[in-house]
């Protein structure tokens, strides 16, 4: 979307030395915990083995007939047994110490190698390293710090496999299962793409397009129709490309959300809209947007109001957002009934929640469009 570029630059600046130190301290904590668990388990296993050996020794002693019949002999025998016992304990402790040290060295070397692999890879970064070590969280940079958002059990998850995502020679993402391309190629456009040759777009394999219908001004609060909306909707339809629409919200009340839904429904009534009608809930960056200070509960209520109005009119509602939207801005436990469109610019889809469409780059190139364009893949047809 048009508001993503400054955010991407800001995210790059957040990878500061301080954040890296925090990341390394966090990983050090995890290493220590892992070592403690490993050593504890090894120690208990060694104790169990020692107990078993002691039981065997006792059993062996019981089976040997006692031939000593004097106090002196019994005392000498007892002293010998105590000496053997002490020597056994000493030898056992030494064996355990050697074993634990070997395992500690092995584990430390393994973790260091994994860290080196993640950080020195072509696309390596502290964030990617942290995400690998903490799969139970969704981690992102925000306000010069790393945010660890727990993955919520109550939110529906997808069943996509990471190994099935394939990047083509042209830099496009596909989802391939059993040798078959399951995903569908799409774009999203607004006035910023200018005049588009939609026939050329279709020849480049684009199956669907999300066209920006309009926005609410982030300062004025005025509802504004995108000046290229009509041209893009008709062009896509004539070229046989399925179309959905999206609206950039700045509603601060449920009443304004319903007003936005009515504005969208009114302006798309004369067009063939077969793909979802999307509610873009991004925050305004580098400016004080009128909706920036909404609470999670308020923003969630607003999103539900818009989606329910769209659904009541017979269309499929969808919510668009990035990782911050789907962890902090919205209460995802209340949004399982609505389709999601996820923006995350990388070569892997970092999101466990059920999303129908992934916007994986804002710098795509498509025939018929002279500017860069957002590229998407969906996992089904709408």
């Amino acid at each position: 979307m048009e508001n993503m570029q400054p955010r991407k630059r800001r995210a790059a600046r957040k990878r500061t030395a301080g954040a890296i130190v925090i990341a390394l301290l966090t990983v050090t904590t995890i290493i220590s915990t892992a070592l403690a668990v490993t050593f504890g388990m090894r120690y208990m296993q060694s104790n169990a083995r020692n107990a078993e050996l002691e039981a065997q020794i006792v059993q062996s002693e019981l089976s040997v007939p006692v031939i000593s019949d004097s106090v002196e002999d019994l005392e000498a025998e007892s002293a010998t047994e105590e000496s053997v016992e002490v020597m056994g304990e000493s030898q056992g402790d030494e064996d355990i110490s050697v074993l634990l040290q070997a395992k500690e060295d092995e584990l430390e070397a393994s973790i260091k190698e994994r860290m080196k692999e993640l950080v020195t890879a072509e696309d390596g970064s502290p964030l990617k390293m942290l995400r690998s070590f903490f799969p139970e969280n969704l981690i992102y940079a925000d306000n010069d710090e790393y945010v660890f958002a727990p993955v919520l059990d109550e939110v529906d998850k997808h069943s996509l496999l990471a190994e099935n995502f394939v990047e083509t020679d042209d830099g496009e993402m596909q989802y391939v299962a059993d040798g078959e391309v399951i995903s569908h190629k799409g774009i999203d456009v607004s006035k910023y793409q200018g005049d588009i040759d939609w026939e050329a777009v279709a020849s480049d394999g684009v199956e669907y397009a999300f066209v920006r219908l309009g926005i609410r001004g982030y300062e004025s609060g005025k509802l504004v129709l995108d000046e290229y909306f009509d041209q893009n909707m008709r062009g896509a339809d004539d070229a046989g490309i399925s179309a959905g629409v999206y609206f950039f919200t700045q509603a601060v009340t449920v009443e304004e959300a319903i007003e936005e839904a009515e504005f969208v429904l009114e302006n798309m009534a004369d067009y063939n809209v077969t793909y979802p009608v999307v509610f873009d809930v991004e925050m305004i960056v580098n400016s004080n947007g009128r909706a920036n200070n909404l609470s999670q509960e308020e923003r969630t209520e607003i999103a539900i109001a818009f989606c329910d109005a769209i659904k009541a009119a017979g269309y499929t509602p969808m919510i668009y957002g990035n990782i911050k939207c789907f962890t902090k801005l919205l209460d995802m436990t209340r949004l399982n009934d609505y389709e999601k469109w996820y923006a995350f610019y990388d070569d892997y889809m970092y999101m466990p929640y059920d999303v129908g469409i992934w916007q994986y780059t804002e710098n795509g190139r498509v025939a018929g469009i002279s500017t860069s364009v957002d590229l998407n893949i969906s996992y089904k047809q709408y």
Side-chain angles (χ1 to χ4, degrees):
M1 300 296 183
E2 66 279 355
N3 197 41
M4 296 296 288
Q5 182 65 28
R7 184 179 61 254
K8 186 177 181 182
R9 290 198 299 268
R10 184 162 70 94
R13 292 197 298 267
K14 294 181 187 301
R15 292 170 181 168
T16 61
I20 293 175
V21 170
I22 293 173
L24 293 178
L25 288 174
T26 304
V27 171
T28 301
T29 301
I30 294 303
I31 292 174
S32 302
T33 303
L35 291 174
V37 172
T38 302
F39 298 161
M41 292 177 63
R42 293 296 182 184
Y43 183 76
M44 288 188 292
Q45 291 171 354
S46 298
N47 280 347
R49 285 198 296 271
N50 288 341
E52 182 179 352
L53 289 174
E54 290 176 0
Q56 292 176 355
I57 291 173
V58 171
Q59 182 64 35
S60 175
E61 291 173 348
L62 291 175
S63 64
V64 177
V66 178
I67 57 177
S68 301
D69 55 3
S70 68
V71 173
E72 291 80 3
D73 289 339
L74 289 175
E75 290 177 346
E77 181 178 330
S78 176
T80 301
E81 289 176 352
E82 290 177 359
S83 175
V84 170
E85 183 178 353
V86 170
M87 291 178 60
E89 288 180 354
S90 176
Q91 183 65 40
D93 289 344
E94 182 178 348
D95 290 343
I96 292 173
S97 177
V98 172
L99 175 63
L100 291 180
Q101 184 60 50
K103 288 301 179 182
E104 177 183 353
D105 293 343
E106 179 183 343
L107 180 59
E108 182 178 356
S110 174
I111 293 176
K112 285 182 177 179
E113 184 62 29
R114 177 59 176 159
M115 291 171 64
K116 179 180 177 182
E117 175 187 336
L118 289 169
V119 175
T120 61
E122 183 177 349
D123 58 347
S125 70
L127 260 180
K128 197 166 188 177
M129 179 180 69
L130 288 173
R131 288 166 177 166
S132 174
F133 280 109
F134 297 93
E136 71 279 8
N137 290 281
L138 281 164
I139 306 172
Y140 61 97
D142 185 46
N143 293 329
D144 297 320
E145 65 179 6
Y146 287 141
V147 178
F148 287 68
V151 175
L152 303 175
D153 293 337
E154 305 93 328
V155 182
D156 292 343
K157 313 297 190 300
H158 66 71
S159 59
L160 302 170
L161 302 177
E163 59 267 27
N164 287 350
F165 286 96
V166 177
E167 186 173 2
T168 69
D169 294 338
D170 296 329
E172 295 182 359
M173 295 301 300
Q174 295 180 334
Y175 188 79
V176 181
D178 298 325
E180 179 183 357
V181 178
I182 305 299
S183 59
H184 304 275
K185 179 179 178 179
I187 60 174
D188 54 273
V189 299
S190 66
K191 69 177 184 179
Y192 298 109
Q193 275 66 52
D195 294 324
I196 296 174
D197 182 347
W198 284 98
E199 292 295 339
V201 171
S203 70
D204 202 3
V206 173
E207 300 177 54
Y208 59 92
F210 284 100
V211 177
R212 190 176 77 164
L213 184 144
I215 66 171
R216 183 189 287 273
Y218 67 86
E219 290 182 340
S220 67
K222 181 180 179 181
L223 300 178
V224 180
L225 187 70
D226 188 293
E227 58 199 77
Y228 276 75
F229 176 68
D230 175 74
Q231 179 176 320
N232 284 333
M233 290 297 290
R234 295 189 186 280
D237 190 52
D238 290 343
I241 296 175
S242 300
V245 304
Y246 73 92
F247 183 86
F248 184 79
T249 180
Q250 279 294 288
V252 295
T253 65
V254 166
E255 290 74 21
E256 285 191 348
I258 294 174
E259 180 187 22
E260 290 178 351
E262 292 172 347
F263 178 80
V264 169
L265 292 169
E266 178 183 353
N267 283 282
M268 72 179 193
D270 295 333
Y271 303 97
N272 185 25
V273 179
T274 57
Y275 263 58
V277 177
V278 183
F279 197 53
D280 183 348
V281 298
E282 297 169 278
M283 289 181 66
I284 296 294
V285 295
N286 301 327
S287 294
N288 187 24
R290 69 198 300 266
N292 278 9
N293 296 322
L294 290 173
S295 68
Q296 184 185 76
E297 181 180 4
E298 289 171 332
R299 196 181 300 271
T300 303
E301 291 288 350
I302 286 170
I304 290 173
F306 180 93
C307 289
D308 284 351
I310 296 300
K311 184 177 181 180
Y315 296 93
T316 300
M318 175 177 274
I319 300 170
Y320 171 92
N322 56 18
I323 190 169
K324 182 176 179 179
C325 294
F326 290 163
T327 57
K328 181 179 180 179
L329 302 189
L330 295 168
D331 180 358
M332 296 296 287
T333 65
R334 301 179 59 196
L335 300 174
N336 281 325
D337 292 339
Y338 310 104
E339 295 280 342
K340 317 303 188 305
W341 178 9
Y342 177 54
F344 181 77
Y345 302 151
D346 214 315
D347 59 358
Y348 66 109
M349 196 189 81
Y350 180 64
M351 174 56 64
Y353 299 149
D354 187 21
V355 296
I357 299 176
W358 172 29
Q359 183 186 83
Y360 62 89
T361 182
E362 61 182 349
N363 295 314
R365 305 298 301 188
V366 170
I369 300 179
S370 60
T371 69
S372 60
V373 65
D374 298 336
L375 292 180
N376 306 272
I377 59 173
S378 64
Y379 310 108
K380 63 181 179 181
Q381 291 178 309
Y382 290 88

